[in-house]
Amino acid sequence: MATAEIPVGPNVGRSSPGTARSARPARYRVRRGLIALGRLLAAFVPVFVLGSFFTFLLGALSGLNPATIQLGEAATPQAVHALEKQWGLQRPFFVQYFDWFGKVLTGNFGNSWVNGNSVSSLLAGRAVISLSAAGLALLIGVVVGFALGGLATRYQSTWVDRVVTVFTSTISVMPPFIVGVALIDIFAVNLHWLPAAGYVPFGNGAGLWLSHIILPALALSFDTVADVARQLRVGLVTAQRQNYVTGAVVRGLSGRRIFFVHVLRNGVGPALAVLGLKFPNLLGGAVVTEAIFQLSGYGVFASQSAIKGDVPAVQAVLVVSVVLVVLFNMIVNVVLTRLIPASSRGV
Amino acid sequence: MLKSVWRLASGRIALALLVIIAFLAAFGSLLAPYPPNATVGVLLQGPTGAHWLGTDYLGRDVLSRMLAGSALSIGGALIVAGIALAFGAIPGILSVYLGRVFEWLSLRVIDTLIALPFLVFAVAMTALLGNGVFQATFAVGFLLAPVFYRVARTATLSVAHSDYVQAAVLSGASTGWIVRKHVLAKVLPPIAIALSTTIGIGLVVIASLTFLSIGVEPPTATWGGILASDLEYIAIQPYAPIAPIVVILISVLACNLFADAVRDVSGEAGRQLLSARDARKRPAPVAAGARAAAARAENPVAGPDDGPADAVLNVRDLTVANEVTGAELVRDVSFSLRRGQTLGIVGESGSGKTLTCREILGITPKLVKRAGGTVDILGRPTAGLSKQDWVDLRGNVISAVFQDPGSYLNPSIWVGKQVSEVLRVKQHLSRRDAKRETLRLFSAVHLRDPELVYEQYVHELSGGMLQRVLIAAAIALGPEILIADEATTALDVTVQAEILDLLEELKQREGLSLVIVSHDLAVVAQLCDEVLVMKSGKAVEHGPALEVLSTPRDEYTKLLISEHQRYGLDRFIQAKELDIV
């Protein structure tokens, strides 16, 4: 984006300080906001549309239909035909797609081919479990990642920095299902500190809920912790070298103030951006961690439905996960633009 | 490339591990002591002489199953990487050549693929499309394609539009030579990095899928499947998961180590790393700085000089050196700045003028330190100042503005807030008072429309406006000394003149003492009372501006002045006038 034009009107001149605030800064800010919103939508609407199309295409390519599931081997061609008609599967591909997409926009994912229940209601309860695990993992990732990255920057090129680097490179190669098994082995089987499996809703007690959710969340979080710590260190070290830090020093600001006001604000960019990239992994990782810790979340639902060939159920999970990713990335993007306004120019 | 990788210790470990892994994938099942799917011992037994890794819940030999499973676990990852390469690289290369529609569409598809929750889609694709090994590797490879799309696209772009390839073509080089010399050197390292990280990810994903028994039906042995059954019986055999965990982790680690090693040795940074390692093996040069300091100690400078009585800044025999190489970047520079006066420091780039200013401000870069001499600000030596002393001094007593003013302001905060920040923090003004004072300062530096500028970001202002903002920030606390280091260098000539006028005006009105650093004699001639000419870190001439400029004694000063006369506009205009006459 080119340098924004300063609106020049007839009343532009030397306005002495203390006069009533002119309308221009306000109008200017509104326009800035609208441009940002437009850019945000332009970046994320295609992802949603393509992601959902891809999901639908996958169902069509699978060649599965409710007849094979409900009628089994005994299906007669007439019965299959009748069922396909009942589900509207004899219609042209794009008619089916637009029908499905329209319903998806209203939150209707159709009915399960296996038991005929509404997929939305099947999914709603499970999504809470998956989101608690992913959300807690995200929290761990941000808190521990920021702490480690901050430490490494503060004690740059000392042994602290090296220990953090070795630690983050080590945990970054550990996939969730391996960490999960190892955590169960240590904390549930050997130490008997925490339950190995299952889920207790938050309503039954926060401590109980946490004790069931903490190990899956930890297993999911390793990768995020490592990447946030590394990117934060890179971002902060880069920011510390910038001229505006020298500028702030020369203006007589203290080192602490410069770090918290000027360096941190510009240095978190890469770490925030990587958070946006990691969120899909946290959601995707649910498939394995839920299997390991026997949580009946949406990940297990996805793999079980996929094995059964329940196409509407799988499509629902995939679309919901795409929506979650898109929403999360939009939030990251908004935060990023608020923190570092110049960053929006590159999108 | 492999040779460079081998020179790093981590590269050697990675290569050795990769060879072992490749060997296991190829011949693992032949090494198995027992058939992998046969019951050959007691159920769920720990490690024994006959079964090194024990037996599983069906009494099968775990070592044999691990070895037999390596083909599928590793081979799967290799196939995944191959499919990802094909699916990514081909459209990546085509995106440069097939026109904008294809480019836009393919970029959107890649954006989408990156945003998908990978594992859920991998599971769904594999299971819905037929739930076999082929489907699993296809699905995972397809979802991992974006990495290669980007690598291939970047590489193609850099080759297709690069000057050096065109230059080589024009100079008649053969296609084969160009490809070997330029294209491969540039394209291979990123592809090698992407391949080895993708194989690592492929290993993890294939293990995850087989752990969920997706894509592979029991009893086929896979590392993921073995881990899954270990988890089932973890209460009986708590140590059984160690074997598959260690094997999977080491394989992934080998891939990542290799990628890191390639990253470390490729490109410009890699060449520097390798040559630095070579250099370290040679004996270190004797510290020149120490020698110079010793020489100076033998010839002490005659008596300390406190400078004129009304000096606000007094610099005596200032020497600044690089701590590591010992090179002296500024040598024995002395000058005084008297209250209300302007001192000009002139010299070519690299002459040490900026470093002198930075040492006065206490902001020298890392490794560059004062090696001798004194700097007194308002009669107070700066040598022993604590961090807090400096904070109190800067802004309040001494301040500075620089070339490229935009970079000295935080890009993420309104410029007005950055000025009022100084007032709030250091003068403890309220938010409203600080803002009012900032707007007053903005008017004082002749910014039009201070209210609007207050709420603007750096990227929304022009260079001249930014320099005015920076000056406003610098004088906010009413300092005694303002250092303007090439403050007008990158600005348009008209803007340059305006800023110089502003500095002169502020000097009069606010009672500032100025140090103006410039490579431009015209700037110095206009504003300065005294001039210091620097060359190669030394002050070659020092005196009243008029005297230095009219009757220079030093050769270098003479050269500067004659160059200026020869190429200056005055002479050009005079010549024209002569022509007309």
Side-chain angles (χ1 to χ4, degrees), chain A residues 44 47-48 131 275-284 298 317-333, chain B residues 111-118 120-121:
Chain A
F44 290 112
V47 172
F48 171 69
L131 280 178
L275 219 50
L277 288 176
K278 286 291 139 187
F279 192 67
N281 288 6
L282 290 180
L283 283 180
Y298 92 111
V317 175
L318 299 187
V319 169
V320 167
S321 64
V322 169
V323 168
L324 287 174
V325 168
V326 166
L327 279 181
F328 184 78
N329 272 286
M330 282 173 93
I331 294 170
V332 166
N333 210 305
Chain B
D111 283 351
T112 309
L113 283 183
I114 290 172
L116 298 182
F118 180 79
V120 185
F121 270 78

Side-chain angles (χ1 to χ4, degrees), chain A residues 165-222:
Chain A
T165 306
V166 168
F167 178 72
T168 51
S169 351
T170 313
I171 65 171
S172 70
V173 298
M174 298 185 172
F177 75 102
I178 284 197
V179 180
V181 174
L183 287 175
I184 288 183
D185 215 344
I186 297 168
F187 292 104
V189 178
N190 276 315
L191 296 173
H192 300 291
W193 287 359
L194 292 163
Y199 177 76
V200 174
F202 191 80
N204 297 14
L208 213 53
W209 170 81
L210 190 66
S211 71
H212 282 85
I213 212 85
I214 185 75
L215 289 185
L218 259 181
L220 274 175
S221 71
F222 271 33

Side-chain angles (χ1 to χ4, degrees), chain A residues 95-150:
Chain A
V95 175
Q96 287 187 49
Y97 169 67
F98 284 116
D99 181 36
W100 174 81
F101 188 68
K103 283 182 184 158
V104 162
L105 289 181
T106 63
N108 175 5
F109 292 101
N111 297 328
S112 160
W113 283 355
V114 173
N115 53 26
N117 291 336
S118 153
V119 172
S120 310
S121 60
L122 286 175
L123 200 56
R126 293 164 173 271
V128 177
I129 301 177
S130 305
L131 280 178
S132 342
L136 190 58
L138 191 66
L139 188 71
I140 296 171
V142 170
V143 171
V144 181
F146 264 67
L148 289 178

Side-chain angles (χ1 to χ4, degrees), chain A residues 1-7 12-22 24-26 28-29 32 42-43 46-48 50-51 54-55 58-59 61-64 156-157 169-170 172-178 181-182 184-185 189-190 242-255 257 261-263 265-266 277 280-281 283-285 287-288 291-292 298-299 302-303 305-307 309-311 314 317-319 321-322 325-326 329 338-342 345, chain B residues 104-105 108-109 111-121 123-125 127-129 131 142-143 203-204 207-209 211-214 224 227 231-232 234-235 237-242 244-245 248-249 252-253 256 358 361-363 366 388 390-392 394-396 398-404 406-414 418-419 421-422 424-426 435-436 439-440 443 446-452 455-457 459-462 465 470 473-474 477:
Chain A
M1 194 183 83
T3 307
E5 289 287 321
I6 300 153
V12 172
R14 276 190 202 179
S15 63
S16 56
T19 53
R21 185 206 203 97
S22 62
R24 263 165 292 113
Y28 189 60
R29 229 174 306 154
R32 209 149 49 180
V47 172
F48 171 69
L50 274 171
F54 182 59
T55 300
L58 184 62
L61 285 178
S62 72
L64 296 168
Q156 204 181 319
S157 35
S169 351
T170 313
S172 70
V173 298
M174 298 185 172
F177 75 102
I178 284 197
V181 174
I184 288 183
D185 215 344
V189 178
N190 276 315
Q242 301 301 310
N243 280 344
Y244 55 75
V245 171
T246 311
V249 169
V250 166
R251 269 171 258 148
L253 299 178
S254 67
R257 182 164 182 97
V261 176
H262 296 275
V263 173
R265 178 165 193 158
N266 291 292
L277 288 176
N281 288 6
L283 283 180
V287 186
V288 274
I292 293 172
Y298 92 111
S303 53
S305 306
I307 290 170
D310 193 350
V311 172
V314 178
V317 175
L318 299 187
V319 169
S321 64
V322 169
V325 168
V326 166
N329 272 286
R338 293 239 8 130
L339 277 179
I340 312 170
R345 289 185 300 162
Chain B
W104 187 87
L105 266 177
R108 293 291 84 74
V109 171
D111 283 351
T112 309
L113 283 183
I114 290 172
L116 298 182
F118 180 79
L119 218 46
V120 185
F121 270 78
V123 166
M125 279 178 80
L128 287 188
L129 296 179
N131 206 2
F142 178 73
L143 292 169
L203 270 163
V204 170
S208 305
L209 292 183
F211 179 85
L212 297 170
S213 47
I214 283 176
L227 187 58
L231 179 63
E232 294 273 313
I234 200 166
Q237 282 192 308
Y239 299 105
I242 293 175
I245 285 181
I248 295 172
L249 282 186
V252 179
L253 194 67
N256 287 10
R358 299 226 153 191
L361 289 160
I363 51 167
K366 247 186 193 170
Q388 187 54 45
W390 271 118
V391 168
D392 293 340
R394 292 188 195 119
N396 293 324
I398 185 164
S399 195
V401 293
F402 305 92
Q403 187 180 350
D404 189 12
S407 72
Y408 286 87
L409 290 163
N410 189 327
S412 307
I413 303 179
W414 290 348
Q418 297 184 58
V419 180
E421 177 192 22
V422 177
R424 283 199 298 118
V425 173
K426 302 206 70 175
K435 178 168 182 184
R436 192 179 304 141
L439 294 176
R440 189 195 68 77
S443 307
H446 306 315
L447 274 164
R448 271 189 297 168
D449 211 346
E451 290 263 353
L452 182 64
E455 295 190 3
Q456 283 185 303
Y457 294 107
H459 63 265
E460 296 169 328
L461 295 169
S462 71
M465 294 171 91
L470 204 60
L477 303 174

Side-chain angles (χ1 to χ4, degrees), chain B residues 277-557:
Chain B
R277 285 161 59 89
D278 291 342
R280 221 178 296 152
K281 287 172 192 156
R282 288 196 291 269
V286 183
R291 228 169 18 202
R296 243 195 326 279
E298 284 162 22
N299 309 309
V301 185
D305 181 358
D306 294 335
D310 59 347
V312 285
L313 173 67
N314 205 10
V315 176
R316 281 291 151 255
D317 304 321
L318 182 66
T319 300
V320 180
N322 184 317
E323 275 189 324
V324 176
T325 62
E328 297 193 342
L329 307 164
V330 173
R331 213 176 314 154
D332 296 332
V333 169
S334 302
F335 62 85
S336 299
L337 176 66
R338 294 159 67 180
R339 190 178 301 276
Q341 297 266 300
T342 304
L343 170 83
I345 304 182
V346 204
E348 59 197 8
S349 44
S351 61
K353 43 189 205 306
T354 292
L355 219 47
T356 307
C357 294
R358 299 226 153 191
E359 177 55 40
I360 293 169
L361 289 160
I363 51 167
T364 45
K366 247 186 193 170
L367 303 179
V368 176
K369 292 274 142 57
R370 188 192 302 186
T374 58
V375 175
D376 296 352
I377 296 176
L378 296 185
R380 187 176 177 195
T382 61
L385 290 184
S386 69
K387 271 188 184 171
Q388 187 54 45
D389 291 336
W390 271 118
V391 168
D392 293 340
L393 202 61
R394 292 188 195 119
N396 293 324
V397 176
I398 185 164
S399 195
V401 293
F402 305 92
Q403 187 180 350
D404 189 12
S407 72
Y408 286 87
L409 290 163
N410 189 327
S412 307
I413 303 179
W414 290 348
V415 293
K417 275 199 173 169
Q418 297 184 58
V419 180
S420 66
E421 177 192 22
V422 177
L423 293 161
R424 283 199 298 118
V425 173
K426 302 206 70 175
Q427 288 192 337
H428 308 291
L429 294 188
S430 70
R431 243 164 237 279
R432 193 192 301 162
D433 288 345
K435 178 168 182 184
R436 192 179 304 141
E437 176 63 11
T438 304
L439 294 176
R440 189 195 68 77
L441 285 162
F442 278 0
S443 307
V445 296
H446 306 315
L447 274 164
R448 271 189 297 168
D449 211 346
E451 290 263 353
L452 182 64
V453 173
Y454 189 92
E455 295 190 3
Q456 283 185 303
Y457 294 107
V458 168
H459 63 265
E460 296 169 328
L461 295 169
S462 71
M465 294 171 91
L466 288 168
Q467 194 57 277
R468 288 173 195 276
V469 171
L470 204 60
I471 291 173
I475 62 169
L477 303 174
E480 300 266 352
I481 307 162
L482 178 66
I483 297 177
D485 184 359
E486 301 272 14
T488 61
T489 299
L491 302 176
D492 287 344
V493 181
T494 47
V495 181
Q496 200 172 351
E498 284 170 24
I499 296 288
L500 291 174
D501 288 347
L502 172 64
L503 287 175
E504 181 65 26
E505 180 192 330
L506 291 173
K507 181 182 121 184
Q508 308 286 353
R509 205 176 55 207
E510 317 261 330
L512 280 172
S513 314
L514 288 174
V515 176
I516 296 199
V517 178
S518 181
H519 61 263
D520 189 347
L521 273 182
V523 169
V524 172
Q526 264 179 45
L527 289 181
C528 299
D529 304 301
E530 272 193 50
V531 174
L532 179 80
V533 183
M534 288 188 72
K535 184 173 191 293
S536 317
K538 279 194 292 194
V540 292
E541 185 143 9
H542 183 195
L546 201 63
E547 202 180 299
V548 171
L549 295 179
S550 56
T551 53
R553 277 170 300 166
D554 183 82
E555 283 306 312
Y556 177 67
T557 318

